[in-house]
Amino acid sequence: MLSVTETKEDGASYDPSDRRHSVRHKLRGRPLAINPRILGPIIDISMHGMSFEYSGEDLPCTQFMEIGIFVSESRTIIPGIQTRTVRDHISNTCSSFIPVIRKIRAVEFLDLTTEQYQQLQQIINTLSTDSP
């Protein structure tokens, strides 16, 4: 799939086909998306959703699922975030000597509680590669 990137007035690049309305942030460290069936690094995150990588055999393609976010550096866990799958595709970043299918899943956050929203905002503010 061809991805076209354009530049906004503020100099930030974006993909015009991307339907997300929030700025996506790359995070320092390796925060993880977690639930009883997955453990995978978060690729990017916003106040409305995130994408993460996981082992393709670990997670059935379900539209709705509950996910947690774990940040080992601060020992922060945001449990029980209700999500809706927006995209799920095979990643081409695998090592050729490891016979594991890696996938990337993008999810939208649904009905964040006030506490989840505040914790998510704190994680983005402190770990975003955009912040000093």
Side-chain angles (χ1 to χ4, degrees), residues 36-90:
R37 300 199 57 172
I38 62 161
L39 179 65
I42 295 172
I43 298 167
D44 59 38
I45 194 165
S46 75
M47 292 304 295
H48 296 96
M50 69 179 176
S51 61
F52 59 93
E53 190 173 27
Y54 67 98
S55 176
E57 302 301 319
D58 291 348
L59 192 60
C61 190
T62 57
Q63 185 170 5
F64 298 98
M65 63 187 297
E66 192 172 285
I67 296 178
I69 296 174
F70 173 67
V71 181
S72 62
E73 291 84 2
S74 61
R75 297 192 175 154
T76 302
I77 297 176
I78 305 175
I81 299 172
Q82 298 298 319
T83 66
R84 179 180 68 87
T85 300
V86 176
R87 186 171 188 215
D88 195 21
H89 65 280
I90 294 175

Side-chain angles (χ1 to χ4, degrees), residues 1 21 31 44 61 65 108 117:
M1 175 161 77
H21 300 287
D44 59 38
C61 190
M65 63 187 297
E108 173 186 19
Y117 185 87

